Amino acid sequence: MANTTTELQKTLKIKLDYDQLTNCMRCGFCLPACPTFKETGIEAESPRGRIALMKAAVDGVMDPSVQFEEQMSHCLGCRACEPACPADVKYGQLIEQARDAIEEHTTQHRGWIKGVRSIVFKQLFPHQKRMKLLGKGLRIYQKTGLQAVVRKTGAVGLFSKQLASLERILPDVAGTGIVEKIGTRIPAKGQKLGTVGMFRGCLMDMLFMETNYKTVQLLSEAGFEVIIPETQNCCGALHAHSGETSQAKELAKNNIRAFQEAGVDYIISNAGGCGAILVEYDHLLHDEPEWKEGGKWFAERVKDISSILLEKGRLLTFNQGKTEADKVTITYQDSCHLKNVMKGGNAPRKLLSSLKNVDFIEMKDAGSCCGSAGIYNVTQPEMANQILDHKMENVNATKAHYIVTSNPGCLLQMKLGIDKHADNKQMQAVHIVDFLYDRLAKNVERDI
């Protein structure tokens, strides 16, 4: 173990940005913004505490032990600390650098965990065709009655109660992707305002293909020609957050090539978690000079679907509802990465507030993490569920009919929250794209 910690210390010295470590003034402004610190009150569970641990390891004051590794893994990576930091410390970059170093030396992954990580990060997510096969498999699972048998027997719960809970809120899977559905080029309706490339994502295209379809329709209705580069792949967010930085870089390079060849004006994401790494491809590839221009070109063009509709698109017309009985109450749960990294928290609110016969209620602490955080709710279920419990207290206080969000992970987590804790079991969690599309007054195709 001593040799392992010594090697990890050496790698931390190489990978961690020491200037950023010393930029932290220990002021504590990050503490009330940090979900894990709010839940525990423990200094080491805060950004300031984790930065102190990183610096102590690099300076040789402490050995980066198993406890050090665990503390780095406890962070949700929501990056709520960054907007709160007066010194502009790039905490998100630091935590990814630390995890990258840990991944090279960790002794915590047992054999089966290493195997699962290899399958997920190297054999599955980088390959769109394999993701499609997984989608088809889930479709068969849902439509053949196998899902009903599994739920009745409680088979999933034998392995993990958390996975059993997540399986209950699994959406109906289309079994096909957006390109198979509508092709790679969709013309603008009316006067063309520009050409956008749609980032279809991995989980979005597999679990939420209908939302991808509706995203294209909204963009087309707003005046954009939509191109969906077929050679694009996973954004690399899960890889970067989990210490698989080299793999994330390769995925980024392929996406840059795909969208540059498409010649688009903007690159549109409908998933906050994907958008946050897409907009930072320039940083991800900062140490590779030959990709400097490509990373910058890509990052400058990334926009969230709400932002492009609000800022660049033709004004959409929405159905106002016929009677007072049609009025619904909604609230919005921020995607952490959309809010904290892409700075896109206002656009969804403006769009939702513009709808007639919709009563928008701002939720208390809407910007705090819901506990999803990529695969955090699978790897750290206890903390994730604790955060979700408190989130649902604020959701219930709004008495909303709909919880609207802008990220697939948040959407699934809020569905789980409704399943477990909602006062009103008729409450629904919906993606903002689905909510807007279903209220369009225009005659768009609805052939899903």
Side-chain angles (χ1 to χ4, degrees), residues 316-321 327-328 330 348-360 404 432 434-441:
L316 297 176
T317 304
F318 294 98
N319 190 331
Q320 297 184 15
K327 191 169 186 177
V328 294
I330 66 173
R349 288 174 167 81
K350 288 182 179 179
L351 284 173
L352 293 170
S353 297
S354 71
L355 301 177
K356 303 296 183 182
N357 251 10
V358 170
D359 188 13
F360 179 78
V404 184
I432 189 170
D434 298 322
F435 194 80
L436 294 175
Y437 175 88
D438 292 345
R439 285 159 180 76
L440 265 183

Side-chain angles (χ1 to χ4, degrees), residues 4 14 26 42 46 85 163 170 200 218 238 242 348 373:
T4 301
I14 296 170
R26 313 290 191 265
I42 298 172
S46 72
C85 179
L163 286 179
L170 193 69
R200 63 188 174 190
L218 286 175
L238 287 178
S242 302

Side-chain angles (χ1 to χ4, degrees), residues 28-86:
F29 279 91
C30 61
L31 301 184
C34 176
T36 52
F37 179 79
K38 285 195 291 186
E39 293 296 330
T40 65
I42 298 172
E43 175 70 16
E45 293 276 12
S46 72
R48 180 177 70 178
R50 292 188 180 102
I51 289 174
L53 290 173
M54 295 177 204
K55 189 171 184 301
V58 170
D59 290 342
V61 176
M62 62 167 278
D63 289 329
S65 63
V66 171
Q67 287 72 30
F68 174 86
E69 295 183 27
E70 290 177 347
Q71 198 50 253
M72 296 304 114
S73 69
H74 285 179
C75 174
L76 291 116
C78 69
R79 296 173 66 171
C81 52
E82 292 186 12
C85 179

Side-chain angles (χ1 to χ4, degrees), residues 158-377:
L158 297 175
F159 298 96
S160 166
K161 290 182 179 180
Q162 183 72 356
L163 286 179
S165 296
L166 292 170
E167 194 277 337
R168 286 202 308 273
I169 49 88
L170 193 69
D172 289 337
V173 179
T176 187
I178 186 65
V179 170
E180 290 76 22
K181 175 71 177 176
I182 57 176
T184 59
R185 187 180 293 266
I186 298 85
K189 294 183 180 178
Q191 181 182 359
K192 177 182 170 181
L193 301 180
T195 301
V196 300
M198 180 187 169
F199 190 81
R200 63 188 174 190
C202 298
L203 289 177
M204 280 302 300
D205 212 37
M206 182 183 70
L207 295 181
F208 301 102
M209 191 279 289
E210 292 185 8
T211 304
N212 273 354
Y213 172 83
K214 293 174 183 178
T215 299
V216 172
Q217 293 300 326
L218 286 175
L219 289 167
S220 176
E221 194 77 17
F224 298 106
E225 178 184 26
V226 184
I227 297 176
I228 311 172
E230 198 165 4
T231 56
Q232 65 177 289
N233 50 218
C234 174
C235 65
L238 287 178
H239 299 78
H241 302 332
S242 302
E244 302 282 350
T245 305
S246 60
Q247 183 72 42
K249 288 181 177 181
E250 293 307 309
L251 294 169
K253 292 171 187 177
N254 190 66
N255 282 328
I256 292 169
R257 281 191 292 262
F259 283 89
Q260 280 186 327
E261 290 171 3
V264 298
D265 302 318
Y266 298 100
I267 299 163
I268 308 306
S269 168
N270 58 12
C274 294
I277 193 167
L278 297 177
V279 81
E280 291 190 337
Y281 269 5
D282 52 345
H283 168 74
L284 181 64
L285 299 169
H286 75 280
D287 57 350
E288 300 193 30
E290 65 274 25
W291 286 96
K292 181 178 180 181
E293 289 303 315
K296 184 173 183 288
W297 179 92
F298 192 101
E300 288 177 343
R301 284 162 174 77
V302 176
K303 279 190 171 292
D304 180 69
I305 177 65
S306 294
S307 296
I308 194 80
L309 292 177
L310 189 69
E311 299 167 7
K312 305 290 182 181
R314 183 184 301 119
L315 186 65
L316 297 176
T317 304
F318 294 98
N319 190 331
Q320 297 184 15
K322 297 178 180 179
T323 67
E324 185 66 21
D326 294 325
K327 191 169 186 177
V328 294
T329 301
I330 66 173
T331 192
Y332 181 73
Q333 166 60 30
D334 281 289
S335 157
C336 293
H337 286 131
L338 176 58
K339 177 179 183 288
N340 300 323
V341 182
M342 299 183 74
K343 314 301 181 188
N346 289 330
R349 288 174 167 81
K350 288 182 179 179
L351 284 173
L352 293 170
S353 297
S354 71
L355 301 177
K356 303 296 183 182
N357 251 10
V358 170
D359 188 13
F360 179 78
I361 304 295
E362 186 69 45
M363 186 201 315
K364 180 183 177 183
D365 290 336
S368 66
C369 187
C370 63
S372 173
I375 57 173
Y376 188 92
N377 57 352

Side-chain angles (χ1 to χ4, degrees), residues 17-32:
D17 185 335
Y18 199 78
D19 288 340
Q20 288 299 324
L21 290 178
T22 55
N23 276 350
C24 178
M25 303 182 298
R26 313 290 191 265
C27 66
F29 279 91
C30 61
L31 301 184

